Amino acid sequence: TVDESELLTVPDGWKEPPFTREDNPKGLLEESSFATLFPKYREAYLKDCWPLVQKALGEHYVNATLDLIEGSMTVTTTKKTFDPYAIIRARDLIKLLARSVPFEQAVRILQDDVACDIIKIGSLVRKKETFIKRRGRLLGPKGSTLKALELLTNCYIMVQGNTVSALGPFSGLKEVRKVVLDTMKNIHPIYNIKTLMIKRELSKDPELRCQSWERFLPKFKRKNLKKRKEPKKKKAKGEYTPFPPPQPESQVDKELASGEYFLKERQRKRKRMEEIKAKQADAVKKRQEERNKAFIPPKEKPAVKTKKASTEKKIDIEAIKEKVKNAKKKKLGALPVEEVKLKMAADEKKKKKK
């Protein structure tokens, strides 16, 4: 009995046998060809490396022609071509060369276990400034993010213009496409890189091969979403009514209501002139009041009477006498010589007694 999980997994180191002439001895029935255009700045590089391209495709019996006047590359099968998929690989090769991928990397597409994917990112973002910012985020500072992505997916990635060209195994291309599309949807590539690093470590454990990895993978939430600011002045909505608002009155309706409609033309003119004269009179009155304001004297402040300081002061004679008596009792200056001698003798007697 063999475990079903072992049947579902590919053994390590297993490779599909190469397609040889014995598999298709009679060759192809019809000639197939593909052509692609390339930009002007790639002309010099393609002219230099074209002999190497012809040599690499010649091993698979595929012809390649370079038209510098038209600016195109063409690949066609020959009578000796036995691999029907060789022309598809040759088509991918010229596509990669047109997208600024160097020949040393693009020639790997002719191998059986290598595929390519050209991801169009130009139409995913509307604003040009936002597109350049997100494309730069995919590259990272000094190309560090792109290098990390290449190491984790085993793919060669080239960001050029409005496309991202990837070259490598099928499993890696799937991850590269997901990361590129998420980056253009404003999801930073570092989140996907962290997930790929965890998956890489989990794949080394044979026990976890047939288990779900959801519990190990991180779940990132968007934290930069801010709540919508509420307006300071909120307009109160009225109650909903199915009936439309009443139609505004026209000039004829207003004249009918006031009775002016039935007056004669001369009477209407007289009434209008009276209204104009009344307005003019009000305006003249207001203007005159404004002019008269300059001639109105301001209100004077009431004069404050200053209190005169009383020059006469009552002299307290009794208090002065007391001060003089106290001053006489106090001894001013140094003590006389006799009193000093008596004080010193008294201090010596006290010391002897002690």
Side-chain angles (χ1 to χ4, degrees):
T1 57
V2 183
D3 190 10
E4 290 183 1
S5 61
E6 291 182 5
L7 294 173
L8 293 171
T9 56
V10 178
D12 294 333
W14 182 86
K15 282 187 178 181
E16 192 175 351
F19 193 87
T20 58
R21 187 170 284 280
E22 286 76 20
D23 297 322
N24 187 17
K26 294 183 179 180
L28 303 177
L29 186 64
E30 291 288 337
E31 182 185 293
S32 301
S33 65
F34 289 101
T36 185
L37 300 172
F38 60 86
K40 183 74 176 176
Y41 60 85
R42 292 290 290 169
E43 185 177 323
Y45 180 80
L46 291 173
K47 193 176 179 181
D48 292 340
C49 73
W50 197 250
L52 298 172
V53 175
Q54 287 178 326
K55 185 181 177 183
L57 292 175
E59 294 175 3
H60 297 271
Y61 304 103
V62 177
N63 286 336
T65 54
L66 177 68
D67 191 350
L68 295 174
I69 297 168
E70 191 181 347
S72 65
M73 294 178 283
T74 311
V75 288
T76 55
T77 56
T78 61
K79 292 180 179 179
K80 292 183 179 181
T81 308
F82 61 89
D83 188 358
Y85 201 71
I87 188 66
I88 303 297
R89 291 204 184 97
R91 178 201 65 183
D92 293 340
L93 173 64
I94 60 175
K95 272 188 180 181
L96 291 169
L97 289 171
R99 295 310 310 155
S100 297
V101 177
F103 171 75
E104 291 78 10
Q105 293 291 340
V107 77
R108 289 170 52 209
I109 195 67
L110 300 175
Q111 300 172 14
D112 288 338
D113 56 344
V114 178
C116 75
D117 189 10
I118 297 172
I119 307 157
K120 294 179 181 179
I121 58 173
S123 60
L124 297 176
V125 183
R126 287 185 180 180
K127 289 185 179 179
K128 189 179 179 181
E129 292 81 7
T130 311
F131 170 73
I132 293 167
K133 196 176 181 181
R134 291 181 186 175
R135 188 180 63 181
R137 196 181 293 169
L138 187 65
L139 293 168
K142 297 181 181 178
S144 58
T145 306
L146 196 68
K147 189 68 180 175
L149 200 60
E150 285 179 348
L151 292 170
L152 289 167
T153 56
N154 297 323
C155 294
Y156 174 81
I157 305 167
M158 182 72 185
V159 181
Q160 175 70 19
N162 293 333
T163 58
V164 178
S165 305
L167 186 74
F170 290 98
S171 58
L173 292 175
K174 186 180 176 183
E175 296 294 341
V176 170
R177 176 171 274 274
K178 182 180 180 298
V179 173
V180 170
L181 293 178
D182 284 352
T183 305
M184 301 312 290
K185 290 176 185 175
N186 203 19
I187 298 170
H188 203 281
I190 194 66
Y191 299 132
N192 288 310
I193 286 170
K194 284 183 179 179
T195 307
L196 288 171
M197 289 170 72
I198 294 166
K199 283 181 179 179
R200 192 178 187 179
E201 294 298 320
L202 291 171
S203 62
K204 294 176 183 177
D205 192 353
E207 294 180 1
L208 296 170
R209 185 173 288 179
C210 300
Q211 296 180 14
S212 177
W213 293 349
E214 286 294 325
R215 63 182 189 274
F216 301 110
L217 300 178
K219 293 178 182 177
F220 300 104
K221 293 181 181 178
R222 291 189 178 184
K223 294 181 181 178
N224 60 347
L225 293 175
K226 294 180 181 179
K227 290 183 179 178
R228 182 178 173 274
K229 290 183 180 179
E230 294 182 357
K232 290 181 180 179
K233 295 180 181 179
K234 292 184 178 179
K235 292 181 180 179
K237 291 184 178 180
E239 294 182 0
Y240 172 73
T241 54
F243 306 106
Q247 193 174 2
E249 290 185 348
S250 63
Q251 189 67 25
V252 177
D253 294 335
K254 289 176 183 177
E255 288 178 358
L256 286 169
S258 63
E260 190 181 347
Y261 184 78
F262 303 102
L263 297 174
K264 292 180 180 179
E265 189 65 29
R266 191 183 297 171
Q267 291 173 335
R268 286 181 194 172
K269 284 183 180 179
R270 192 187 303 159
K271 191 176 181 181
R272 284 176 200 160
M273 289 299 294
E274 287 174 1
E275 288 176 358
I276 291 166
K277 284 179 181 179
K279 284 181 181 179
Q280 287 177 352
D282 290 339
V284 169
K285 191 178 179 182
K286 285 180 182 178
R287 207 179 300 120
Q288 194 64 36
E289 287 175 359
E290 288 291 330
R291 287 175 183 171
N292 292 336
K293 278 182 183 178
F295 301 101
I296 297 170
K299 291 182 180 179
E300 294 182 359
K301 292 180 181 179
V304 180
K305 292 181 180 179
T306 55
K307 292 181 180 179
K308 292 181 180 179
S310 59
T311 54
E312 296 177 359
K313 290 183 179 179
K314 291 180 180 180
I315 300 166
D316 194 356
I317 298 166
E318 294 296 329
I320 293 167
K321 285 180 180 180
E322 284 292 328
K323 284 182 181 179
V324 171
K325 281 181 182 180
N326 292 333
K328 284 181 180 179
K329 287 178 183 178
K330 289 181 181 179
K331 292 179 181 179
L332 300 172
L335 295 172
V337 180
E338 293 177 358
E339 287 184 9
V340 172
K341 288 179 180 179
L342 290 170
K343 198 172 184 180
M344 288 175 69
D347 291 338
E348 286 177 2
K349 285 180 182 179
K350 285 179 183 178
K351 285 180 182 177
K352 285 178 182 179
K353 283 179 182 180
K354 288 179 181 179

